[in-house]
Structure formats: structure tokens, C-alpha cells
Amino acid sequence: LFTFWELTSITSFLLVGFNHQDAAARDSARQALLITMGGGLALLGGLMLLAQIAGSWSLSGIIAAAPGLVDDPLLPWAIMLVLVGAFTKSAQFPFHFWLPNAMSAPTPVSAYLHSATMVKLGIYLMARLDPAFNDLLLWEVALVGAGTVTALWAAVLALSERDLKRILARSTVSALGTLTLLIGLPSPGAGLAAIAFLVAHALYKAPLFMVAGNIDHATGTRVVDRLMGLRRVMPGSAAAAILAGLSMAGLPLTFGFVAKDIIGIAKAEADLFLLVSYTFVVVNAIAVAVAGVAAIRVFWGPLKLPRDRVHEVPWTMLVPPLLIVLFSIEFEFFPSLADPLLLPAANVISPGLDAVELGTSYALDGLFSATGITLGTGLILFLAWDRLHDALGRMAWLQRRGPEAGYSLLLAGLTRVASWHARLLQAGRLDGYLRLTLGALLLMVGFVAWETGPRLGPDWELTWHWPGHAWAWLVALVLMVAGAAAAAFMRERLAALMASGLVGYGAAVLFLFAGAPDLAFTQFSVETALVIVAAAVLPRFAPAPKRDPMLRTPWRLILAVAAGVGTCMLLLHLQGLPENRELADWFGANSLSGANGHNVVNVILVDFRALDTMGETIVVAVAGIGVLVLLQAVRKRREEDPA
């Protein structure tokens, strides 16, 4: 689940940035990636905690073990991390702003990924885990609270938009908040309400997005102020928009009406706070107004654009929204088709749900109470859309103080920190890189000393044990000490480089007689190649500035000596630890039976560590090819210019 969860974030990033030459599209793609993949990392941590405390890596196993996890102190942290992942993917407050900005993607992407399916991954995960944690106060408060705020905030912001796709995107965020709220309700009917509304929303919102794309294709604009009377030249798109708008408004004879009727029952069962109930009324009313804008405002009235500039889209762009929206009508008249699709999913979310049959009551008292109030309020908002938009425009401080502004501040701060970090660590001088490397090494040695306490010194009896190849070890010692000392005092770059190569050759001798011939061979080859390449390239560079004597730069000498002494103490400490023969015994016992080889070292190289050996071989081969090409280039240049 997590792997493919993150793959949807990557594909969404690529599709939102499809028009990569547009800076706004690139910024929106980056925003979607940072928010959804950042939430994905939180989700990974939450899933790992859940798996650890439940003893299972399957969702069904975690749900089955949930009753025994209530008192686990890690459970609240796991739930919060999982919810952060779900909230970012499903655009819940305060992560809601990335979804409207993702409307720079092509319209089919907006219809499919950002309305009907991908953004509902978070909804799916919350619904899947709801049977396990619905009785927890943390779960209920988080879902009901975040869902309520998201639904209301996004619905209000929809009134401030003029771009048709962004209006629909804001209403999508509001619908996602409603779904989150429904999942968090402690009601047996909440599962059915969530599933019914999820399907109803997909069946009306995807066609509306497609119609918005048709309008953009036919007119070159999506700004509602410039659109009116399009039914005269785009009758097919108008029909799809009207049918989808009826379902979005929750009018009778549509599946949207069925879903909102079931939502009303779930709310009554849950005994919601009065504020949440009022929020539902406002959200539904704004949904009616948005449906009016998408289905009536742009298609009715006099045609604003010249008739010769507007045309109906091809049938390939017209048939898909019509087919999808017809399902919304069909499910209403043939509920038996919807029952096998929705009820099993609802029973998973709400195991206590009684056997029900999807149906709708058209009693006049119900129509004139809840639905009537919603439609009436929505009609008023639709008629006052322009005035509300202007009023919200004068309240721009809401956007400047909101979460999106916080994201911009964090991104700007990250840029400044990255710039400072690059200036500090990527100064372009090798001596600076060496100082940082040696400083990190000293920190590591200090950490080991802190962790091991006073016993930092080695076991001298084991340390000074005379090895079997003592003469070879002495040769390696002399080579490395001589090379290091010569490199420190040499003034010429090439001489210092060749002297430092002695350190590498000494290390190769040490590896050879310590039982690692493959590593010794690699060390010999790479050191030789490095010296040859450097000798061929160094004359092409400007002469190095004269180095100051070491005594004039005591801090460099102190750092170098401290790094050497610290490394020596660390290695002596490791050498003095008791020998761990667990791996040696395992390889000795399995070399013949597992790889049919008596020579344990060879078996390790070609079987147990085959990929590692192949990597070493590739390193040597690439180094050799590089040396060969460089020497050929040098010889060719000398032939062309003997002087």
C-alpha cells in the first residue's frame, strides 16, 4: 500500500507539471509533491508503528488486533502519523491548498486523479482503519474536527474563485472534508453514507471537470465572467453539465439526492454538535451554488462570446462525461445495481450496519425541510455570487495568513538555509572539505568514547599479539608512515601525490596479508590508476600557490594529529574487542552445502558476495579504461605538438 501510495504522488507530480514550460505549473507540481510525499513519510512511520504494536503487516491483521492495542502508549503516535499521511493525500486542512493549485494539470487528469480517485486514497485508508479505531476519542475528534473545518473553509473559498476548474477544485476539497467527517462519525450508518457520497461525488464531479475542459477547449477561457449562453453552441456539454449539476445539488431523481438523504440519516444517528450540523447546511448550500455556476451560469442567458469563436467539442470529448453522469441517474432508478457495489464496502467500514436497501423517500415534509432549506440558501448564494466574490476579495488577508502562506514562508526559509548550507559545505576548496571530513571523524570517535565510557583503551594483550605475517605488517607500516610523512613535507604537488600513494600501497599490503586479496588487488589498481591519471593531468593546471609551513598553521596540524590519534584509538579499541566468529562459523558451515565450494574465501567472493565482487571488478575495469583513454589522449597531443 505504501509503495503504490508514493507512486501516485510521483505520477501526480509529473502530470501536474505536464506543461513544464509554465512556471506556475512547475511550482504547483513541486507543491503537490512536497506535501503528499512529506505526508507519505509520516504515513510510513505510522504504518511501521502500527505493525510493530499489532504484530502484523496486513491491514486486516492490524484491525483484528486493534481491541488489544488501546492501552499501548505508541498507539496515539501511530494514529497521528497515519492521519497526517491521509490528510495530506486527501487535502484536509491545513494541507488543503495543494489540490486547487494542481488544476494546472490537463483536465482529464483533474477529473480522474484529483477528483474521482487519487485524492480519495486518504479517504480509503481512514475508512479501512475506522473499524479498528472508531471508538477512540482521538480518532473521532481528529476526523470530525478536520473534516468540518476543511468542508466549510474550502466551500467558502470556492465563492472567491472565478476560474471554473478552481471553483470545482475547491468544492472537491469541501467534499473530501465531508467524507472525512462522515468516516469519523460514531454512527452505524456513517459507513454507508460515506460510501454513497464517495460514489455520488465521483459520478458528478468527474463529468463537471470534463465539461470545464470542453469549455476551455472550445472558448479558450475558463473564467466564468466571460462565459454565458454556451448551450446555444455546445448543447451536448450543456446536457452533461446540467445532469451532473442536478446530482451535485442533491435534487430528486439523482444519486446525489440518495447520498445526501443517507447522510442526513447518519447525522441524526450520530447526534452531532449543533455547530457541525449548521456547517453541513452551509456546505451543502454552497455546493448547490457551485452546481448552479457550472451548469446554469455558463450555459444560459445571452451568448457573450462571438458565435464564430465557439464550437462544440468532438464526440470523443463529449461521450465520456455523458456516460459517467448517466450512471448517476441510473443508480437512482435502479438501486439494485448500486446495492452490491456499495453495501459490502459499507459493512467493512461499519460492521454494525444492519441489512438495508438503498432507496429514497420523497415525502413532502422532508423535501420542504432539509432539502428545501439547502436549495433555498444555495439559490440565494448563486444569485449573490458576484457580490460574495467581491466581498471575499476585500478579505485577502485570509489567504495571506492561511496555511498556504505558511507553506510559502517555509519554502523561502528552506531556500535560505540551503543557500547558507551550500556556502558552508560547498565552498569549492579541497582543504575545506578535508576539514569537515576530519571534524566528522572526530565527532564519531567522540561518540564512541561517550558510549563506551571509561573503557576506551584497547585490550593490550590482544592488540600486541604478534601476527603470523609480522614482516609483511612491518613493511606495510613503514610504507604508510613514510608516505604520510613525505606527503606532509613535499612542496611539489606531483611528489606529494606520489608520496601519498605509498599510503595506499601500504594499505594494500596490509589487506593482502590480512586475508583480503580481492581488496588488496582493488587497492593496488586504483592507487596506480590515480597516480597515473594525476601525473597526466596535473601539468595542465596552474602551479599551486606556495604552501605555508605547518608550524605557521598550527590549527591544521592540531586537527590532523587529532584525527590520526582518534582514528588510531578507535581501531585499537575495535582490535581489542573479543572476536566474533558468528559469521565465520556460518560461512564455514554453509560454503560446501550451499555453494559446493571447499575454499571458503572463494565461495564468499563468487557466491555469497557476488554482487560486491562484481562491483569491485567494475571499479577496476572503469579505472583501467579511464587511464587508457587518458594516456592515449596525452600521446596523441604529444605527437601533434612534440614541443
Side-chain angles (χ1 to χ4, degrees):
L1 182 146
F2 172 76
T3 300
F4 289 97
W5 181 288
E6 293 294 78
L7 285 177
T8 61
S9 296
I10 295 173
T11 53
S12 176
F13 163 76
L14 296 173
L15 291 167
V16 172
F18 177 79
N19 185 16
H20 57 273
Q21 296 178 344
D22 184 5
R26 296 196 301 269
D27 291 341
S28 298
R30 179 177 58 187
Q31 185 182 85
L33 183 71
L34 290 176
I35 293 176
T36 56
M37 294 204 75
L41 293 177
L43 174 66
L44 176 61
L47 293 178
M48 292 175 69
L49 284 178
L50 282 180
Q52 178 183 345
I53 61 180
S56 173
W57 286 93
S58 69
L59 287 174
S60 56
I62 293 172
I63 295 171
L69 308 179
V70 176
D71 296 327
D72 195 299
L74 293 178
L75 183 61
W77 295 101
I79 290 176
M80 287 189 290
L81 289 172
V82 169
L83 289 181
V84 168
F87 285 177
T88 53
K89 182 68 76 175
S90 290
Q92 297 300 293
F93 187 90
F95 312 107
H96 61 285
F97 52 87
W98 75 265
L99 184 57
N101 294 334
M103 292 303 106
S104 57
T107 301
V109 176
S110 302
Y112 182 63
L113 291 182
H114 301 140
S115 175
T117 55
M118 189 205 73
V119 291
K120 295 202 171 99
L121 278 177
I123 302 297
Y124 162 78
L125 185 60
M126 290 186 288
R128 190 75 173 85
L129 294 175
D130 186 64
F133 307 121
N134 187 261
D135 294 334
L136 297 179
L137 181 62
L138 172 63
W139 181 267
E140 180 182 347
V141 170
L143 268 63
V144 173
T148 302
V149 173
T150 302
L152 181 60
W153 184 256
V156 171
L157 290 181
L159 300 173
S160 66
E161 300 287 354
R162 310 305 283 177
D163 184 291
L164 185 56
K165 274 183 70 175
R166 288 185 64 88
I167 292 172
L168 295 174
R170 295 287 189 189
S171 67
T172 295
V173 176
S174 180
L176 293 170
T178 301
L179 285 167
T180 302
L181 167 63
L182 291 173
I183 294 172
L185 291 181
S187 164
L192 180 59
I195 292 298
F197 185 56
L198 184 146
V199 175
H201 176 261
L203 291 178
Y204 69 68
K205 188 57 66 66
L208 286 175
F209 267 111
M210 292 181 182
V211 169
N214 292 351
I215 293 173
D216 191 11
H217 175 79
T219 65
T221 183
R222 299 194 304 259
V223 179
V224 294
D225 296 336
R226 305 174 189 172
L227 301 172
M228 187 175 287
L230 294 180
R231 77 183 191 285
R232 304 175 188 275
V233 287
M234 302 178 67
S237 297
I242 290 171
L243 291 175
L246 291 175
S247 184
M248 182 176 180
L251 291 175
L253 307 181
T254 64
F255 193 66
F257 180 78
V258 177
K260 292 191 176 181
D261 188 45
I262 300 173
I263 290 174
I265 297 173
K267 289 192 301 179
E269 291 178 351
D271 192 20
L272 286 174
F273 290 113
L274 195 60
L275 180 61
V276 177
S277 297
Y278 288 157
T279 299
F280 254 113
V281 175
V282 175
V283 170
N284 290 336
I286 295 178
V288 172
V290 171
V293 170
I296 298 176
R297 175 167 177 157
V298 300
F299 287 104
W300 296 87
L303 184 64
K304 278 192 173 184
L305 297 172
R307 184 178 289 268
D308 58 348
R309 286 183 50 194
V310 186
H311 58 86
E312 180 63 279
V313 295
W315 68 270
T316 52
M317 299 174 65
L318 190 60
V319 171
L322 283 172
L323 285 178
I324 295 174
V325 78
L326 286 177
F327 278 105
S328 182
I329 307 298
E330 184 177 353
F331 280 167
E332 158 65 3
F333 287 102
F334 301 99
S336 59
L337 297 177
D339 287 347
L341 294 176
L342 307 185
L343 293 181
N347 280 315
V348 170
I349 302 174
S350 300
L353 180 66
D354 296 331
V356 297
E357 181 178 346
L358 294 181
T360 308
S361 172
Y362 293 102
L364 292 179
D365 57 345
L367 290 175
F368 285 114
S369 57
T371 305
I373 293 173
T374 301
L375 292 177
T377 308
L379 179 60
I380 295 173
L381 294 176
F382 170 70
L383 296 175
W385 186 279
D386 292 326
R387 295 179 182 178
L388 290 170
H389 175 270
D390 295 338
L392 289 172
R394 291 190 293 271
M395 300 172 64
W397 58 270
L398 286 174
Q399 293 281 32
R400 292 196 300 268
R401 302 291 189 274
E404 188 169 5
Y407 166 82
S408 300
L409 289 175
L410 286 175
L411 201 61
L414 178 63
T415 302
R416 288 193 292 269
V417 170
S419 178
W420 167 81
H421 183 271
R423 289 195 303 270
L424 177 65
L425 299 183
Q426 301 291 330
R429 293 185 57 85
L430 182 60
D431 56 348
Y433 300 154
L434 288 174
R435 286 195 297 270
L436 291 171
T437 303
L438 294 178
L441 180 63
L442 289 174
L443 287 177
M444 183 180 71
V445 174
F447 175 77
V448 172
W450 178 270
E451 288 294 316
T452 56
R455 189 189 175 280
L456 179 61
D459 187 336
W460 295 105
E461 183 179 350
L462 292 175
T463 301
W464 295 110
H465 178 68
W466 198 251
H469 301 283
W471 61 270
W473 287 44
L474 288 175
V475 170
L477 173 65
V478 171
L479 286 176
M480 288 190 285
V481 171
F489 289 98
M490 290 288 183
R491 293 299 182 91
E492 296 295 329
R493 290 184 298 181
L494 183 58
L497 177 69
M498 297 185 69
S500 66
L502 290 177
V503 179
Y505 285 124
V509 172
L510 182 63
F511 294 149
L512 180 63
F513 289 94
D518 58 327
L519 190 58
F521 174 71
T522 303
Q523 183 76 20
F524 275 125
S525 303
V526 173
E527 285 293 338
T528 303
L530 176 62
V531 172
I532 294 174
V533 170
V537 172
L538 276 179
R540 300 177 181 274
F541 291 89
K546 188 176 180 180
R547 294 193 300 176
D548 294 329
M550 287 189 298
L551 295 179
R552 291 186 182 180
T553 55
W555 59 273
R556 295 186 181 181
L557 180 61
I558 293 172
L559 180 62
V561 171
V565 172
T567 305
C568 179
M569 295 299 296
L570 179 63
L571 294 177
L572 286 176
H573 178 69
L574 296 176
Q575 183 72 17
L577 293 177
E579 184 180 7
N580 185 346
R581 294 197 52 82
E582 183 177 352
L583 278 178
D585 294 340
W586 187 90
F587 283 122
N590 290 276
S591 292
L592 182 60
S593 60
N596 299 314
H598 292 276
N599 190 317
V600 178
V601 175
N602 289 348
V603 169
I604 293 174
L605 291 177
V606 301
D607 286 285
F608 295 120
R609 278 181 47 199
L611 290 177
D612 187 30
T613 304
M614 184 179 69
E616 293 175 354
T617 306
I618 292 173
V619 168
V620 175
V622 170
I625 293 172
V627 171
L628 178 63
V629 172
L630 185 61
L631 291 178
Q632 288 176 346
V634 172
R635 184 177 64 181
K636 183 177 180 181
R637 180 177 290 269
R638 288 180 177 176
E639 291 174 354
E640 295 174 352
D641 186 10

